[in-house]
Amino acid sequence: MLGAKLKELREMNGYVQRQIAAELEVDTAYISKVENDEKPLSKSHLKKLSKIYKISERELLTIWLTDKIKELVKNEPTAKESILLALSEMK
Amino acid sequence: MLGAKLKELREMNGYVQRQIAAELEVDTAYISKVENDEKPLSKSHLKKLSKIYKISERELLTIWLTDKIKELVKNEPTAKESILLALSEMK
DNA sequence: CCTACTTTTGACCTTTGTTGTACAAGTTTT
DNA sequence: AAAACTTGTACAACAAAGGTCAAAAGTAGG
């Protein structure tokens, strides 16, 4: 989900992976993996990416965090209950 | 939250920490810390605890996972949005 | 108030898991 | 064929998990 979004954003803004990799000073392989959800995106890159892709950092963070939550509860039989419970306890 | 629940369950069932520690084959200090949320409870202990405390394993797992979620989103400005988004994507 | 028991605290330790990264080679796209 | 992307493997660094031990501190009963 985050990967797909990042890819979409990149293409919308007319970049190739190499350019993004250069901006973030990482390997293009890393970008590829992130876009394919094979590696998590380092939180430290959110700010720069939000600038490059002209999206609010907050929106990107929301998606990023959502991914983390989904990863955490994946395969847990009580995923839904737990999320609902967490939510109700945070109000 | 999990810690408080565990303590409540233990007391309801009339045990002291030493007894629980013995059952789980760990140090009492560990039990103390878990009950005070200073250390996470290892998932591997859930089954035994649910038996000792006569609560369904599923219910204990729900609470345990809820704790993990809360820990994950703690201090994140987008916590609520992200949880809601995760939930909606899991339906 | 003593003392025996329970619980907490703090420092420490080892193992395991994750992250972030790199490089090379392969595949796909243009 | 060149450029872009993907994939496999490896690895060091670091953080977190899952404890232990000894000592301190709380708590009841006699």
Side-chain angles (χ1 to χ4, degrees):
Chain A
M1 141 119 235
L2 177 61
K5 182 71 178 181
L6 289 173
K7 181 167 195 171
E8 185 194 325
L9 282 166
R10 177 172 59 79
E11 288 171 347
M12 272 177 45
N13 284 271
Y15 292 108
V16 297
Q17 291 182 349
R18 179 177 38 74
Q19 296 174 292
I20 306 304
E23 287 287 338
L24 301 185
E25 298 175 280
V26 300
D27 195 302
T28 68
Y30 176 59
I31 302 298
S32 171
K33 283 170 189 171
V34 165
E35 289 189 354
N36 289 290
D37 297 305
E38 278 154 36
K39 287 275 180 184
L41 173 69
S42 170
K43 197 182 180 186
S44 65
H45 292 136
L46 286 181
K47 188 192 290 281
K48 219 164 213 174
L49 284 178
S50 72
K51 289 222 168 80
I52 300 172
Y53 294 154
K54 303 186 194 90
I55 181 179
S56 84
E57 194 180 344
R58 188 186 174 91
E59 184 174 348
L60 214 46
L61 175 61
T62 301
I63 303 173
W64 179 87
L65 187 54
T66 296
D67 248 37
K68 296 281 173 185
I69 296 169
K70 285 165 72 177
E71 184 62 29
L72 175 62
V73 305
K74 190 178 69 187
N75 301 329
E76 294 292 356
T78 67
K80 246 174 266 186
E81 292 96 304
S82 296
I83 290 185
L84 283 168
L85 186 51
L87 190 62
S88 77
E89 282 176 16
M90 291 177 41
K91 296 280 182 136
Chain B
M1 142 118 234
L2 177 60
K5 182 71 177 179
L6 288 173
K7 181 168 195 171
E8 185 194 325
L9 282 167
R10 178 172 57 78
E11 289 171 348
M12 273 178 45
N13 285 271
Y15 293 108
V16 297
Q17 290 183 352
R18 179 177 37 76
Q19 296 175 291
I20 306 305
E23 288 286 338
L24 301 185
E25 297 176 283
V26 297
D27 195 295
T28 68
Y30 177 58
I31 302 297
S32 171
K33 284 169 190 173
V34 165
E35 288 189 355
N36 289 290
D37 296 306
E38 277 153 37
K39 287 281 178 180
L41 173 69
S42 170
K43 196 182 181 186
S44 65
H45 294 313
L46 287 181
K47 188 193 291 279
K48 220 165 214 175
L49 284 178
S50 73
K51 289 223 168 82
I52 299 172
Y53 295 153
K54 302 185 195 93
I55 181 181
S56 83
E57 193 180 344
R58 188 186 174 91
E59 185 174 348
L60 214 46
L61 175 61
T62 302
I63 302 173
W64 178 88
L65 186 54
T66 296
D67 247 37
K68 296 281 173 186
I69 296 169
K70 286 166 73 178
E71 183 62 27
L72 175 63
V73 306
K74 189 178 69 186
N75 302 330
E76 294 292 356
T78 67
K80 244 174 267 186
E81 294 97 303
S82 296
I83 289 186
L84 283 167
L85 186 52
L87 189 63
S88 78
E89 282 176 15
M90 290 176 44
K91 297 280 183 135

